[in-house]
Amino acid sequence: MPAITLTINNDLISARQGQTLLEVAREHGIEIPTLCHLDGLEAMGGCRLCLVELQGSSRPVPSCVTRAAEGMVVTTHSDKLVEYRKMLVELLLAERTHTCSICVQNNNCELQTLAAKLGIDHVRFDYLNQQLPMDASRERFALDHNRCVLCLRCVRVCDAVEGAHTWDVRGRGSTSRIVADLDRPWGTSTSCTDCGKCVQLCPTGALFKKGATVGEMRKERSFLNRILERRRLAAQGGTP
């Protein structure tokens, strides 16, 4: 694959043609925050936290879906980007009810960790105070809409990795909800295989295992790399 050269944060960096800016940055140890992106799942540029500045562009671009190109000049961290990211996280916190002290994923939550890294100690926007329902109709797992950030990892892993396509999204904007089997209680879903992949990839405590108490939920995501590696080997004719 042809190599290209671009500049990130004033450093000349080599990349492979076809790589996204996020992939290039991570390969060179440059951290860019994101909540929706996960290696192995199709990039969607949904959370916008991975926005970077691109010389010649009038607005920041999402690094997870922007391909690196020869001669690009990219800034991944600036006062403006930090302010963007703080605003986005604050809006997520204001839109739903994220009460960390009673969450099963307290201290293991990607949203909570990101807010702490950005130095967010209060929210400047009015809380919507939505009182959303919890779907605990499934035997092993439950869904708390109050903690969902609509990253759609659950939708993508269920569709592209498990092949069940149980999850989908209904509504728009702040009324959007993750729904199972075209908006049925999760417990009555006939397509769900109970594999738990959606639960493990959820960045917050929105999807969790029943029986977990406050701060007890630990999510294990290495299975995704194992599955993708086996698929890669199978595609190359090796032993999966």
Side-chain angles (χ1 to χ4, degrees):
M1 192 175 290
I4 57 175
T5 303
L6 64 158
T7 302
I8 299 183
N9 300 337
N10 297 320
D11 290 328
L12 275 177
I13 284 177
S14 295
R16 297 182 295 282
Q17 204 162 47
Q19 282 187 299
T20 65
L21 291 176
L22 181 64
E23 289 172 333
V24 175
R26 287 183 170 178
E27 205 167 87
H28 290 81
I30 301 168
E31 185 181 356
I32 298 177
T34 175
L35 282 176
C36 68
H37 183 82
L38 205 60
D39 289 342
L41 297 182
E42 184 182 5
M44 57 176 277
C47 71
R48 316 305 278 183
L49 286 161
C50 70
L51 287 175
V52 296
E53 292 173 338
L54 188 61
Q55 191 176 80
S57 173
S58 59
R59 61 185 65 182
V61 298
S63 61
C64 67
V65 292
T66 303
R67 301 286 175 192
E70 180 70 33
M72 270 184 169
V73 178
V74 181
T75 301
T76 65
H77 292 80
S78 67
D79 291 344
K80 184 178 177 182
L81 289 173
V82 169
E83 191 53 37
Y84 269 136
R85 289 165 184 160
K86 289 175 77 169
M87 180 186 70
L88 289 169
V89 170
E90 287 182 49
L91 288 171
L92 287 175
L93 293 170
E95 185 173 290
R96 301 283 170 103
T97 307
H98 298 277
T99 309
C100 300
S101 59
I102 57 169
C103 180
V104 295
Q105 210 162 320
N106 187 22
N107 294 322
N108 299 294
C109 170
E110 292 183 43
L111 178 63
Q112 185 186 44
T113 301
L114 182 55
K117 279 186 178 178
L118 291 170
I120 295 173
D121 54 12
H122 67 285
V123 172
R124 293 168 289 177
F125 307 102
D126 293 336
Y127 285 90
L128 295 186
N129 292 316
Q130 299 192 76
Q131 299 297 316
L132 302 179
M134 181 183 293
D135 183 349
S137 58
R138 201 82 196 166
E139 182 179 355
R140 297 173 55 208
F141 308 115
L143 163 63
D144 186 351
H145 289 285
N146 294 288
R147 297 170 184 158
C148 179
V149 294
L150 295 169
C151 67
L152 307 192
R153 287 184 187 176
C154 54
V155 175
R156 287 175 287 160
V157 73
C158 186
D159 180 39
V161 180
E162 181 63 9
H165 200 113
T166 297
W167 295 111
D168 221 319
V169 184
R170 73 164 169 82
R172 302 183 65 182
S174 63
T175 65
S176 298
R177 304 281 184 275
I178 300 297
V179 294
D181 280 5
L182 300 177
D183 208 4
R184 299 168 59 181
W186 192 7
T188 65
S189 167
T190 54
S191 64
C192 179
T193 62
D194 264 332
C195 68
K197 291 183 177 68
C198 56
V199 175
Q200 297 301 328
L201 297 192
C202 176
T204 68
L207 287 166
F208 60 97
K209 191 183 292 184
K210 283 185 176 178
T213 58
V214 174
E216 200 176 64
M217 188 78 196
R218 304 284 194 279
K219 298 193 173 177
E220 198 280 314
R221 294 171 181 144
S222 60
F223 74 89
L224 187 57
N225 289 332
R226 292 197 297 272
I227 290 173
L228 295 174
E229 180 62 13
R230 284 198 290 269
R231 286 185 178 181
R232 188 185 66 79
L233 289 172
Q236 292 176 349
T239 304

